[in-house]
Amino acid sequence: MPSIHLLSDLLINQIAAGEVVERPASVLKEVLENAVDAGSRAIDVQLEQGGVRRIRVADDGCGIAKDELALALERHATSKIANLDDLERVGTMGFRGEALAAIAAVARTTLTSRAEGSAHAWRIDGAERSVAPAALGAGTVVDVADLYYNTPARRKFLKSEGTEYAHCDEMFRRVALARPDIGLQLAHNGRVVHRLPAADHARRVAALMGDDFLAQARALDADAGPLRLSGFASLPAYSRASRDAQYFFVNGRFVRDKLLTHAVRQAYTDILHGNRHPAYVLFLELDPAGVDVNVHPAKIEVRFRESRAIHQFVFHALSRTLAESGAGLAMRDAPIAASTTYSAASPAAAEPDDRAAAARAQPFGAYRDAPPVQGRLAMESASRSYFDFVGTARESAPPPSAQPSATEGFRPTAFPAPAGRSAAPTAPHLPQHADDSAPLGYALAQLHGIYILAQNAKGLVLIDMHAAHERILYEKLKTVLDGRPSVQRLLIPAVFSVSAKDMAAAEECAEVLTGMGFDVAPAGPQELAVRSVPALLASAPVAELMRKLLEELREFPASEVVTARRNELLATMACHGAVRAHRSLTLPEMNALLRDMEATERADQCNHGRPTWTQLTMSELDRFFMRGQ
């Protein structure tokens, strides 16, 4: 082995560059963060050949004094922290003082700056470290050319110009979303790509994510003590096949944190279809002392002091926002039409408030004037069989011959009323507008026994009656079973071997496991014995379930494994208990279903994430039929 010796400063910086400067986007991130920390109000970015040939960032911040220019290019030289207390409460984007030194070691770098109050600007060359006068109005200009010109092996790992530019563009978007109060501009090869004036969060999000995202997103603003979560989260209908539209910021810093990602994913569990991913731009604000940002070279990961509290706060805040049914927002910005009176022959004849209150007071399986499709749900015991929950009286679907033919589908068709009742009118006199108590309007008819057609102030509403009823049943089943779960004692305790990590997790999370309905105790050095489980999961494989539960409890402070398994069973029960397709409903039944939708959380999607209703406005219908053109 060679003798031990000290490395040269250049080699030390080049080694550091391997951690900090992965590609041109890494350079852009570090320089942009310095510009933000300098208090800039406007930042201009120019790229050439995807940032490989050149990256130039000009800002109008506080600038750097002449005597500090050379120091700015030295390792571990910074103005942002001075002691351990500063490190534990980092409030700036950068703080290590390594970036400029590492960049200067692998690229031709010049730094031009004019400090506030200085007579003129000064420029320093990153290689020669010579300082000379320069022309600059205010702020700082960092010019990085020929990245990895002196390390050809690293340059070979760079991708094509288009790929490297895409990474730079993504880095620019992150900073722009985090700081809408700063005006930013990005140009590539002389062409301006983004010109973003200072604005509020909504306008900046619309400029970078698109108006379609903002139209399909819910605004979020929740706080609990020192914690605040704000931003925009997309509705499930705007889900995407990849995670390319997910932005989470902690105190203005973009992060990819497993804890936060898990909390968001759990909030979307019941409403997202298949393997789709939500889109969101979320901002978490907390005391800087409660988060450690010094755990990753690129500062993209963080560690929270109170991880359980953070997880639960994000999960519940986002869940409450997404739980609000779009039916409750359907009348927002609706035009106000002339008032009309209700026809006595119409199911809308009753006072809307009375009708809505009556619909909400009914058992959700028995709509007003409806035959007993499902019986009342009596939840005395969570371990009762499915038929004890939803009842066995279920009408069979009418034969195909009883359904309207394709030619009959062009006009409203009256469905036969049950025995002892007269048929409801098929063309009721409806109000010209619906009030806030009935944003989904009032039913007109059924379409092929599958869809309900309703009229509200905006136009036509189409409802998938099975999907809508399925969500209503599911949410009410969950509500009944919330609280302390029913427990099933095992006749023979389930004993199984676990790892040392699982044993430690079972001991640390004993109270959490008890609250979930598990009675778990050590049965040996590396064995656990389970004596009771939640009643709804009595038939689940105990060992497999516990291992997965303990694995998630080790990874995250709050596990949703048991809740997810329970909800899978409830979703199956709700699916089988919901009103079936081709089931003829009367107008009172249809209107009662609409009122229940308006009172149900997450009523916009069924348990599988499919939409339950859609709106066709009068302007959309007019355009289709070319009215007024």
Side-chain angles (χ1 to χ4, degrees):
M1 290 289 291
S3 59
I4 298 175
H5 61 279
L6 293 173
L7 298 177
S8 66
D9 288 341
L10 177 61
L11 185 55
I12 290 173
N13 289 336
Q14 289 175 334
I15 292 173
E19 296 180 347
V20 178
V21 185
E22 179 185 359
R23 61 194 334 148
S26 306
V27 176
L28 181 60
K29 173 183 182 295
E30 300 292 346
V31 179
L32 274 177
E33 288 182 346
N34 283 339
V36 170
D37 289 338
S40 304
R41 306 306 301 170
I43 302 175
D44 179 70
V45 180
Q46 298 179 28
L47 305 176
E48 293 181 13
Q49 296 180 12
V52 179
R53 177 69 182 85
R54 189 185 189 195
I55 299 175
R56 183 181 185 275
V57 178
D59 66 64
D60 61 351
C62 62
I64 305 173
K66 174 190 175 182
D67 298 338
E68 297 177 359
L69 280 175
L71 195 58
L73 296 176
E74 295 295 330
R75 290 185 303 115
H76 310 307
T78 179
S79 62
K80 301 172 185 178
I81 61 172
N83 50 48
L84 181 60
D85 291 337
D86 293 339
L87 182 61
E88 292 179 348
R89 299 183 60 88
V90 173
T92 55
M93 296 298 100
F95 54 89
R96 295 195 183 102
E98 297 174 306
L100 287 178
I103 293 169
V106 293
R108 306 183 196 277
T109 306
T110 59
L111 181 62
T112 307
S113 188
R114 181 177 181 177
E116 293 179 350
S118 298
H120 51 77
W122 297 88
R123 176 183 292 112
I124 184 171
D125 183 271
E128 299 177 359
R129 304 298 171 94
S130 58
V131 180
L136 184 66
T140 302
V141 176
V142 179
D143 199 324
V144 181
D146 299 327
L147 184 61
Y148 289 125
Y149 77 99
N150 55 356
T151 50
R154 290 298 303 270
R155 193 179 182 98
K156 291 179 181 178
F157 283 92
L158 298 179
K159 304 301 181 182
S160 66
E161 176 181 333
T163 300
E164 296 300 340
Y165 166 71
H167 285 282
C168 289
D169 180 75
E170 175 65 16
M171 198 64 64
F172 178 87
R173 287 171 176 267
R174 294 175 184 177
V175 175
L177 287 170
R179 294 300 302 269
D181 58 316
I182 300 177
L184 294 106
Q185 179 172 293
L186 172 65
H188 183 225
N189 293 336
R191 184 177 67 89
V192 175
V193 181
H194 297 292
R195 184 179 285 112
L196 305 171
D200 55 23
H201 275 105
R203 292 183 182 179
R204 182 59 60 86
V205 168
L208 292 173
M209 303 285 288
D211 292 330
D212 54 342
F213 166 78
L214 204 59
Q216 294 293 324
R218 293 265 174 86
L220 171 66
D221 194 351
D223 58 78
L227 303 178
R228 184 190 178 202
L229 184 67
S230 59
F232 301 89
S234 72
L235 296 171
Y238 191 80
S239 62
R240 304 169 72 90
S242 63
R243 298 182 178 91
D244 61 340
Q246 297 181 349
Y247 297 91
F248 209 116
F249 301 88
V250 176
N251 289 345
R253 184 189 308 276
F254 175 84
V255 299
R256 289 198 183 281
D257 183 77
K258 291 188 294 183
L259 180 87
L260 299 176
T261 302
H262 182 267
V264 173
R265 187 172 65 247
Q266 291 300 322
Y268 275 93
T269 297
D270 268 352
I271 55 178
L272 210 57
H273 185 266
N275 295 321
R276 306 289 291 179
H277 300 281
Y280 53 82
V281 181
L282 298 174
F283 303 88
L284 177 64
E285 300 173 25
L286 71 160
D287 186 347
V291 55
D292 185 1
V293 299
N294 190 30
V295 297
H296 191 274
K299 303 186 289 290
I300 202 170
E301 295 179 7
V302 294
R303 184 177 295 119
F304 296 102
R305 187 185 301 272
E306 299 291 341
S307 55
R308 179 185 294 275
I310 298 294
H311 181 282
Q312 293 302 92
F313 170 68
V314 172
F315 167 69
H316 288 295
L318 191 53
S319 294
R320 285 194 298 269
T321 299
L322 296 173
E324 184 179 2
S325 169
L329 306 175
M331 295 305 295
R332 181 175 294 173
D333 301 326
I336 303 300
S339 59
T340 58
T341 57
Y342 293 97
S343 167
S346 168
E351 288 296 324
D353 292 341
D354 296 341
R355 184 182 56 259
R360 294 187 182 100
Q362 295 167 6
F364 56 87
Y367 289 114
R368 175 159 39 91
D369 299 329
V373 181
Q374 285 88 26
R376 175 186 291 270
L377 294 187
M379 300 300 242
E380 289 83 10
S381 171
S383 60
R384 295 174 64 184
S385 68
Y386 164 69
F387 290 102
D388 288 334
F389 281 109
V390 298
T392 56
R394 184 179 295 115
E395 292 189 0
S396 59
S401 59
Q403 301 304 315
S405 65
T407 56
E408 293 173 334
F410 288 102
R411 61 183 184 276
T413 304
F415 293 98
R421 285 188 290 140
S422 59
T426 59
H429 297 288
L430 298 174
Q432 294 181 13
H433 75 280
D435 53 32
D436 291 338
S437 67
L440 288 180
Y442 303 99
L444 295 170
Q446 267 183 305
L447 182 64
H448 291 290
I450 300 175
Y451 300 103
I452 295 174
L453 281 69
Q455 171 184 314
N456 66 358
K458 289 187 175 181
L460 180 67
V461 182
L462 288 89
I463 302 98
D464 183 334
M465 65 182 193
H466 172 75
H469 192 202
E470 185 179 357
R471 170 58 72 178
I472 294 168
L473 290 177
Y474 179 48
E475 291 298 327
K476 294 200 175 184
L477 282 169
K478 288 197 301 182
T479 300
V480 172
L481 291 181
D482 276 346
R484 190 170 185 85
S486 298
V487 174
Q488 174 66 55
R489 301 286 299 182
L490 300 181
L491 183 62
I492 302 176
V495 180
F496 53 95
S497 60
V498 294
S499 65
K501 291 182 179 180
D502 287 343
M503 287 291 293
E507 181 179 355
E508 294 174 3
C509 304
E511 292 185 6
V512 177
L513 293 171
T514 302
M516 292 179 177
F518 290 95
D519 182 3
V520 184
Q526 288 190 324
E527 287 187 335
L528 287 177
V530 180
R531 297 187 176 91
S532 65
V533 297
L536 276 178
L537 304 179
S539 60
V542 177
E544 176 186 346
L545 179 62
M546 280 302 303
R547 286 194 181 98
K548 185 171 181 61
L549 175 58
L550 292 173
E551 177 185 355
E552 190 166 350
L553 284 173
R554 291 201 318 265
E555 190 78 16
F556 305 103
S559 175
E560 299 293 328
V561 171
V562 173
T563 302
R565 291 294 295 268
R566 184 202 73 171
N567 287 349
E568 287 177 8
L569 295 175
L570 296 184
T572 301
M573 295 163 60
C575 184
H576 288 287
V579 61
R580 315 306 293 178
H582 306 300
R583 157 78 161 84
S584 297
L585 299 180
T586 64
L587 285 174
E589 293 171 355
M590 289 184 255
N591 282 307
L593 178 62
L594 299 182
R595 302 294 79 79
D596 273 354
M597 288 179 64
E598 294 161 355
T600 301
E601 293 183 346
R602 306 176 184 87
D604 299 338
Q605 292 80 31
C606 74
N607 313 340
H608 314 292
R610 294 188 297 106
T612 58
W613 67 281
T614 188
Q615 172 87 59
L616 293 176
T617 64
M618 291 302 296
S619 59
E620 291 172 337
L621 293 171
D622 289 343
R623 282 197 301 270
F624 179 78
F625 290 104
M626 300 182 183
R627 290 179 60 87
Q629 299 182 14

